[in-house]
Amino acid sequence: MATSRALAYLESRKNLTGSAGGLLGLVLTFTGVAGPYWPLVVAGLYGAGALIAPPDRPPLPEFPTPSAQLEAVGADFGKLETYLAEVGLPASTQTRLTELTDLLTALLDPGWAAELLAQDPEGVHTLSRIVRQDLPEAVDSFVRTRWWTRLTPGQEPPERHLERQLAALGEEAQRLAAALRDTEAMRQESHTRYLEERGN
């Protein structure tokens, strides 16, 4: 521990700046300016350099990039698909669920869509929330409510709420896909303008 601190100090800005000051003191000594007080001059210049040097900044913590986050969401989506296949949802919800999972698969599929999405941290966050929180919670709450509904018949069927939740999630995913499409369309239009203006 003490050795690592010593090595860290040797490489620090304070030591490097102080050493530069100390070298200046030695130059003054050899030119005869420092006189008999040269040890004090060298030590003083070293100390002054060490004091005025800016402190070393600790390195910033490394966080996963949007691309790495997207890969992690894709892995979690694979787990979610396995869970959805085992739950046994009613047929009335299958169409909406299939539409949603197909869209999520397309967004998470490695390729141009994922590359574009990786440049949009908000989009990655939206997709992550759907996969890791909203969709699992919607299905799990349906499964739990369905069990209680069997004990107390006559209540509103829980699949209606699930259908509405899947519809809302589908719309959110569609908005995300539309935003990505608009980004690509704008890039295409910009390239068209560039080529046309270059020709003039």
Side-chain angles (χ1 to χ4, degrees), residues 13-24:
R13 292 181 185 176
K14 287 188 174 296
N15 182 52
L16 294 176
T17 307
S19 297
L23 286 174
L24 177 61

Side-chain angles (χ1 to χ4, degrees), residues 2-198:
T3 305
S4 62
R5 283 184 191 164
L7 289 174
Y9 180 76
L10 288 175
E11 297 173 353
S12 71
R13 292 181 185 176
K14 287 188 174 296
N15 182 52
L16 294 176
T17 307
S19 297
L23 286 174
L24 177 61
L26 289 175
V27 169
L28 293 175
T29 300
F30 290 129
T31 56
V33 176
Y37 302 105
W38 68 268
L40 293 176
V41 172
V42 172
L45 288 174
Y46 175 87
L51 285 173
I52 65 170
D56 289 331
R57 290 184 298 117
L60 288 171
E62 292 185 9
F63 297 111
T65 63
S67 296
Q69 291 176 8
L70 201 57
E71 289 177 11
V73 173
D76 290 342
F77 180 61
K79 299 174 188 175
L80 178 61
E81 285 187 303
T82 302
Y83 165 74
L84 293 174
E86 295 173 352
V87 168
L89 297 176
S92 61
T93 64
Q94 283 301 328
T95 301
R96 288 195 185 278
L97 181 61
T98 300
E99 290 173 355
L100 176 59
T101 54
D102 286 350
L103 183 53
L104 294 175
T105 299
L107 289 170
L108 288 166
D109 188 41
W112 67 267
E115 289 172 9
L116 186 61
L117 187 58
Q119 299 171 23
D120 178 14
E122 282 299 317
V124 173
H125 174 71
T126 298
L127 199 57
S128 173
R129 190 180 62 231
I130 292 173
V131 169
R132 293 173 168 164
Q133 179 179 338
D134 296 335
L135 183 52
E137 176 62 24
V139 174
D140 185 57
S141 62
F142 163 76
V143 171
R144 286 183 281 124
T145 307
R146 177 176 58 182
W147 183 82
W148 285 105
T149 303
R150 290 173 182 164
L151 297 178
T152 56
Q155 305 295 320
E156 182 180 13
E159 49 265 29
R160 286 188 190 165
H161 282 285
L162 179 60
E163 289 169 16
R164 289 166 57 190
Q165 291 168 1
L166 292 174
L169 291 173
E171 289 173 5
E172 189 174 17
Q174 287 284 359
R175 284 194 299 272
L176 177 57
L180 295 175
R181 181 197 62 219
D182 291 345
T183 301
E184 285 291 80
M186 288 173 58
R187 185 166 71 172
Q188 185 185 33
E189 290 172 12
S190 297
H191 190 57
T192 301
R193 282 196 302 272
Y194 164 73
L195 292 176
E196 289 175 347
E197 289 169 2
R198 190 177 69 180

